[in-house]
Amino acid sequence: MPLVSVVMPVYNSEATLGAAVRSVLTQTHSDLELLITDDKSTDGSMDLLMEFARQDERVLPRSAPEQGGAGRARNLAIERARGDYVAFLDSDDMWLPEKAERQVAFAAGGDAPLTFTSYYKMDADYAGDSTDFVPNGRVVPARGHVDYRAMLVRDYIGALTAMYDRNVLGTRLMPEMRKRQDYALWLSIMRDGADARGLTEPLAVYRAHQAGSLSSNKLSLVQYNWELYRRHEGLSVARSARSLAGAVWQSLRNSRI
């Protein structure tokens, strides 16, 4: 059974952290490790993580040496990965119980080393666990196949659903950017010649953030996307502008789901 390394950054996530961790530990694919980096939380997040670690040896939390943001926290966890696959989950989202099992089987049956799935959106104040989540109609669908050209126009991959094959790609780190680190990683993988395949079944649950949070203000992504296209990808001004227009449209469209 392939080992799945699940990467989770944490910062002051005590309210939602328990549900996120339990959603990994209750997976039907049990051969996994949960690599968590606490980015100098000031609440009880680290205490909660240590309690989980005492109860289950698959939970492997560490504290970051200094506060560095989500990208750095993820990379510190990725550097510890031993798995055949590296997957991602934030501390306020959840996986449904069969997510890892179905995605590993899906990845093994195809020729794309990067895979992702559809996912549900829920309200930020949802207090349940993944095992009692009632499916709703708010689904962000996965596209069946994505290549580099398509990804430049639109980010099709929800980070909470992404998984890459470490045996094929090696250990791939996220660029340490303030935002869009996940998007930059998918682009770098595809720029090197790999495509991505999407599993249409929704297998994760995304918590829709309240206004004012990092991921709710869609227009704030414009600056970061522009820097991504120009500095990280080295695109021309014209091609960057076309890609940026697609990213803005995606953000506005997803906000209606």
Side-chain angles (χ1 to χ4, degrees), residues 80-94:
R80 297 191 280 139
R82 300 179 298 111
D84 301 283
Y85 296 98
V86 174
F88 300 89
L89 180 66
D90 284 349
S91 56
D92 53 355
D93 299 326
M94 298 185 299

Side-chain angles (χ1 to χ4, degrees), residues 121 216-219 221 245-257:
K121 292 182 74 172
S216 67
N217 189 349
K218 305 300 182 181
L219 294 179
L221 297 179
V248 170
W249 169 248
Q250 178 210 15
S251 296
L252 295 174
R253 180 178 180 274
N254 285 349
S255 68
R256 301 189 190 106
I257 299 177

Side-chain angles (χ1 to χ4, degrees), residues 41-52:
S41 294
T42 57
D43 64 359
S45 292
M46 195 60 184
D47 291 337
L48 181 58
L49 290 173
M50 295 307 296
E51 180 60 30
F52 273 114

Side-chain angles (χ1 to χ4, degrees), residues 171-234:
T171 300
R172 302 292 294 255
L173 301 179
M174 289 189 173
E176 294 185 13
M177 305 160 59
R178 170 63 175 162
K179 298 181 182 179
R180 310 303 274 162
Q181 311 98 338
D182 53 341
Y183 188 20
L185 176 58
W186 320 145
L187 285 173
S188 70
I189 290 174
M190 294 182 183
R191 187 183 349 108
D192 291 343
D195 292 346
R197 295 175 64 240
L199 180 59
T200 57
E201 182 179 4
L203 293 171
V205 183
Y206 170 77
R207 192 182 300 272
H209 298 273
Q210 299 292 339
S213 70
L214 279 176
S215 50
S216 67
N217 189 349
K218 305 300 182 181
L219 294 179
S220 72
L221 297 179
V222 171
Q223 175 187 350
Y224 295 96
N225 274 32
W226 184 258
E227 293 179 358
L228 171 64
Y229 299 138
R230 294 287 289 150
R231 297 182 183 179
H232 187 266
E233 295 303 304

Side-chain angles (χ1 to χ4, degrees), residues 3-10 24 32-38 49 57-62 73-83 85-89 166:
L3 176 65
V4 178
S5 297
V6 186
V7 169
M8 180 182 292
V10 170
V24 175
L32 52 83
E33 58 180 4
L34 179 52
L35 305 170
I36 306 171
T37 303
D38 180 78
L49 290 173
E57 62 183 5
R58 297 174 297 171
V59 181
L60 303 170
R62 285 191 186 175
R74 289 189 183 101
N75 283 344
L76 289 170
I78 294 172
E79 288 170 351
R80 297 191 280 139
R82 300 179 298 111
Y85 296 98
V86 174
F88 300 89
L89 180 66
R166 197 161 151 265

Side-chain angles (χ1 to χ4, degrees), residues 51-130:
E51 180 60 30
F52 273 114
R54 283 190 287 269
Q55 297 174 9
D56 194 315
E57 62 183 5
R58 297 174 297 171
V59 181
L60 303 170
R62 285 191 186 175
S63 181
E66 59 185 11
Q67 191 173 73
R72 180 59 180 156
R74 289 189 183 101
N75 283 344
L76 289 170
I78 294 172
E79 288 170 351
R80 297 191 280 139
R82 300 179 298 111
D84 301 283
Y85 296 98
V86 174
F88 300 89
L89 180 66
D90 284 349
S91 56
D92 53 355
D93 299 326
M94 298 185 299
W95 284 358
L96 296 182
E98 295 184 348
K99 196 264 188 186
E101 179 182 359
R102 299 206 177 186
Q103 191 167 3
V104 165
F106 177 72
D111 56 0
L114 175 61
T115 60
F116 59 104
T117 80
S118 301
Y119 60 93
Y120 294 102
K121 292 182 74 172
M122 65 180 178
D123 295 333
D125 58 357
Y126 177 77
D129 271 27
S130 60

